[in-house]
């Protein structure tokens, strides 16, 4: 997979956030645009739209050290969204978060899938996080062990409003 395809078609959300520490939230979100075909004149508006999608516009001028873990993960999601990818890979996106922040992050990912039609591939060891999915694929030692469709997923997950 070339870097160009990866940057234009795929967004990545990491467990450890991977935000640049001495860079504002807005600048962190704009980073993937450096390697895109998007005209530089659109970068601020795209980054702000991505921050709006994760309800973080009020923190755009803050640095990561001034954010909670949940806020950092929301910024990381906004960074993954800024290029408007078809697929978002989320590797343990709630692994470093308390349960409330984790629920907020999962609600955002679920909304992006349901409303914005992003395909989200989520890697997790947490059963309650996996229940947000439409389908769960269990992998053990590198092989698919089983696959299951999640019935009534919205009823299976407690939402925090």
């Amino acid at each position: 997979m070339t870097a160009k395809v990866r940057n234009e078609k795929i967004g990545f959300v990491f467990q450890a956030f991977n935000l640049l520490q001495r860079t504002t939230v807005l600048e962190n979100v704009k980073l993937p645009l450096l390697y895109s075909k998007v005209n530089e004149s659109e970068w601020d508006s795209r980054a702000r739209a991505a921050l709006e999608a994760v309800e973080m516009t009020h923190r755009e001028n803050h640095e990561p050290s001034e954010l909670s873990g949940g806020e950092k993960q929301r910024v990381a999601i906004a960074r993954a969204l800024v290029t408007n990818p078809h697929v978002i890979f989320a590797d343990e996106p709630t692994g470093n978060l308390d349960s409330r922040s984790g629920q907020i992050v999962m609600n955002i990912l679920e909304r992006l899938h349901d409303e914005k039609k992003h395909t989200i591939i989520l890697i997790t060891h947490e059963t309650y996080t996996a229940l947000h999915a439409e389908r769960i694929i269990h992998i053990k030692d590198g092989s698919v062990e089983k696959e299951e469709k999640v019935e009534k997923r919205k009823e299976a997950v407690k939402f925090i409003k």
Side-chain angles (χ1 to χ4, degrees):
M1 174 184 326
T2 67
K4 179 182 175 215
V5 170
R6 187 173 50 241
N7 189 53
E8 292 176 6
K9 307 289 184 192
I10 301 171
F12 294 92
V13 179
F14 302 98
Q15 178 179 0
F17 321 123
N18 294 341
L19 301 176
L20 297 180
Q21 291 305 307
R22 292 188 178 93
T23 307
T24 67
V25 163
L26 185 65
E27 291 165 335
N28 265 288
V29 173
K30 290 192 303 188
L31 280 173
L33 297 172
L34 288 169
Y35 307 101
S36 73
K37 294 179 186 176
V38 177
N39 191 312
E40 192 172 350
S41 65
E42 296 178 44
W43 290 5
D44 281 347
S45 63
R46 279 195 147 195
R48 285 188 176 106
L51 285 168
E52 187 174 326
V54 298
E55 301 173 1
M56 284 295 293
T57 53
H58 65 290
R59 303 287 264 166
E60 74 176 38
N61 293 314
H62 289 76
E63 291 184 358
S65 63
E66 301 172 294
L67 305 176
S68 70
E71 289 173 326
K72 289 176 186 177
Q73 194 62 293
R74 288 159 58 191
V75 172
I77 294 168
R79 185 184 52 205
L81 289 174
V82 77
T83 59
N84 196 26
H86 298 293
V87 177
I88 296 172
F89 283 97
D91 182 15
E92 297 280 3
T94 61
N96 285 333
L97 305 177
D98 61 59
S99 59
R100 185 176 188 286
S101 295
Q103 185 65 52
I104 290 167
V105 164
M106 289 311 302
N107 288 348
I108 289 168
L109 290 173
E110 192 168 311
R111 188 182 74 240
L112 291 170
H113 169 71
D114 292 346
E115 296 173 11
K116 306 288 186 186
K117 306 304 179 198
H118 289 282
T119 297
I120 298 176
I121 298 172
L122 179 80
I123 294 89
T124 188
H125 291 90
E126 300 166 341
T127 303
Y128 67 90
T129 299
L131 291 175
H132 283 270
E134 292 176 350
R135 185 169 51 144
I136 299 173
I137 300 171
H138 297 266
I139 298 174
K140 184 175 181 180
D141 299 328
S143 298
V144 174
E145 192 173 70
K146 72 177 180 175
E147 180 179 340
E148 60 185 297
K149 185 174 173 76
V150 178
E151 298 296 326
K152 300 180 182 177
R153 70 183 170 107
K154 292 214 185 269
E155 294 172 16
V157 178
K158 177 184 173 190
F159 284 90
I160 296 174
K161 298 288 182 186

